[in-house]
Amino acid sequence: MSQTENSIYAQVAFPLTSFKNFIYLIPTDLKNEIKIGSCVLAPIRNKERVGFVIKISDKSEYGGKIYELKGGLEKDLSIPRDLWQTLNWISFYYFCSIGKVIKSAIPLSFKRNLKSKKNSYVKITDFGLKNIENLSRKAKSQIEILNSLSLVNEPVRISSLKIIAVSATSICKKLSETGYVEISYKNEIYNPLDDSPFIISQQIKLNDEQLISYKRILDKFINYSFSVNYIHGVTGSGKTEIYIKLSESVLKKGKTVIILVPEIALTPQISARFKSYFGDKIALWHSKLTNAEKLWTWKEIKKGRFSIIVGARSALFTPMKNLGLIIVDEEHDYSYKQDRVMPYYHARNTALMRAKFAEIPIVLGSATPSMEMYYQKITKRITWTELKNRYGGANLPSVQMVDMMEEIKKNDNFKSFLSSELKIEIQNCLDNSEQVILMLNRRGYATVQQCLCCSEILNCPNCSISLTYHRKGEKLICHYCDFKEKIGIICKSCGSSEVHFLGSGTQKVEEELIHYFPKVRILRMDIDSVQSKGGHQKILTKFGNGEAEILLGTQMIAKGLDFPDVTLVGVLNADTGVFMPDFRAGERNFQLIYQVVGRSGRHEKPGKAIIQTFNPKEISISTAAHQDLKQFYNATIAQRNDLFYPPFSRISRFICSGLDKVEVKKRIYSIYYMLKKVEGVRILGPSIAPIEKINNSWRYHLIIKYDIKKPHVLHRKYKNSILSMLDKTLNNVKVQLDIDPISIL
């Protein structure tokens, strides 16, 4: 089409890593259809690709040939205005191409046809309703299933009954044969939430403390303008009940809700609670969904089928129309920061921006607030509410700290990872038919393989860290680059056979538990055990069903879990990570211990926690043991102020990496000389990164600190220079910029 005075042009971004965008001519018949955020087909590199319109103009400064757009690919892919503004903000603030942001945020597997799946449902019959009491008392699972079905008037997906009985399918078949239930089948698109546990809806009655918090936050909802609201509640205080009631008020006004949780492991429990209350208005969204599940969910969201989305950080990018509320549960959690691939965004901060663009309230909650949000409370910039007591009258657990140095002194040749106190308490729980949660924040079997003759430690050949021994497959594995090799019994350095494994991981502790408690049933929950689809949910469902007495895991079991029979929590090594060269190490350790202790005694049975440590006087450990949040936060706030660290400043981190150490060092120094010219910044470094080498790449870094009120100090004069260095490699050296980094390792 020829260009005329009435021509309209679209600037299109493609889901690519490049910062370049392209100009296209909008056909006359599509001028009224194509808008900012529209998904289009556009020719690029002799192919037609999916792109998104980021700007529309009646002028073009490009002097070459301008191609024509082919029209909208699919209206389902177009996104709401507030979401589009959020994606643009991520691109700007985190120095990431809009194309890369789009690729990260929007699933593009929409060309595939969806296949329906045959799903089985069950409904209690009139005969079943009248004859439940006639069943044998030995048929406990049958009675429980029938009692649950008697409370609903519609068919229930059989797989959702597995929280009541693992063999729900075979039980329902038996009940069908005797006329107690009817089984039906539907060919339908698979909804990921259909496999969540079936929970009978119960009326929520807020206690006095919850009601005060609820009403104070609800007052901010009157005009539905942007407001930041915080629920600081002790573990088990009932924050979820308030989330549900707030969501209910939003849905009554015809608006929608996004609920963020930090880890996929937490989605089953909270989504089940919301599903029991709101039914089929709920959908799940997280990275473990298949492409088909994402496609189906996305399209149903666009149709308006769902009013509430529950998921991990990527759920923030779902195209919810008429958004009325965003909830960020466990806002302190470091999993909200994406730090492996671009864009390196923080979901909590991004949620604040989406709420601001949508002009709606946002509610954040945690028992252990982040320092940034706690400072907002001190400066009175947000609406802060507190829940000081547990919901339902339960008490906080009693906490005992065990000095493992004293334990070693008391017992000759002490090599156990379980103190005598912890073993006694575990046995007491087993005797009382109660459950135990044990946390060790290290996966694998042993963390170090060392020669006792020459002291050589077997490190990863690609990274500056030791290899971790995993019992399964008898392999040594690097947790950074995934290098694997079979274990050796001879030292590679001196040839000695005196090679031993030191340190402990969850696999080794599991072995020791079996030794001391041979009849106990143990479930281990770490990255290695949840690789399969639905792995988190399967483990938690089994534990909830009472199929194991002990749940052993890493930090993924520390928060959000609520099991009525858990009366003991054991922290096997409270020192893990506390002495890392990272200013947030203490904060992270305090939050982890405080949160996992809160898994104990959340219902009628009183709870206890045992914290094992070699450093009982370390402040993050001692204050967490005494559940003294105020002392820890005040001490940490004072220290951060003295050192000009967040929340009193903002920090950004440049990392250079490459195969040639000399070139990497040159590149980081060139960035240093550029940043020296920037007014108002303090530079730490350049220096070798704490983890010097990852995947054969040497790493140098530098950190800059700047005024909290000037978040765009790098954007003003150096945006183009920074974008250029991030977009290209020079002498095979890659540059990474992490704005507001969570870790500086």
Side-chain angles (χ1 to χ4, degrees), residues 75 90 143 151 167 172 242-243 308 364 400 429 436 455 461 514 553 593 625 630 639 682 724:
K75 290 184 179 179
I90 291 174
I143 294 171
L151 298 174
S167 54
C172 287
I242 300 178
Y243 296 157
I308 300 177
L364 306 100
Q400 178 183 353
C429 282
V436 180
S455 300
I514 293 170
I593 297 170
K630 190 173 182 179
Q639 184 185 57
R682 303 182 191 180
S724 178

Side-chain angles (χ1 to χ4, degrees), residues 348-401:
R348 180 198 62 216
N349 298 344
T350 306
L352 286 163
M353 293 307 299
R354 184 167 183 185
K356 188 174 183 179
F357 291 132
E359 298 180 339
I360 61 169
I362 182 171
V363 175
L364 306 100
S366 176
T368 53
S370 62
M371 285 296 164
E372 287 79 2
M373 297 311 299
Y374 189 77
Y375 185 63
Q376 296 296 310
K377 173 207 172 183
I378 294 173
T379 53
K380 299 181 179 179
R381 294 175 183 172
I382 61 177
T383 299
W384 190 276
T385 64
E386 295 205 24
L387 304 175
K388 297 180 179 179
N389 301 293
R390 282 190 156 181
Y391 184 64
N395 293 316
L396 290 169
S398 61
V399 183
Q400 178 183 353
M401 189 156 50

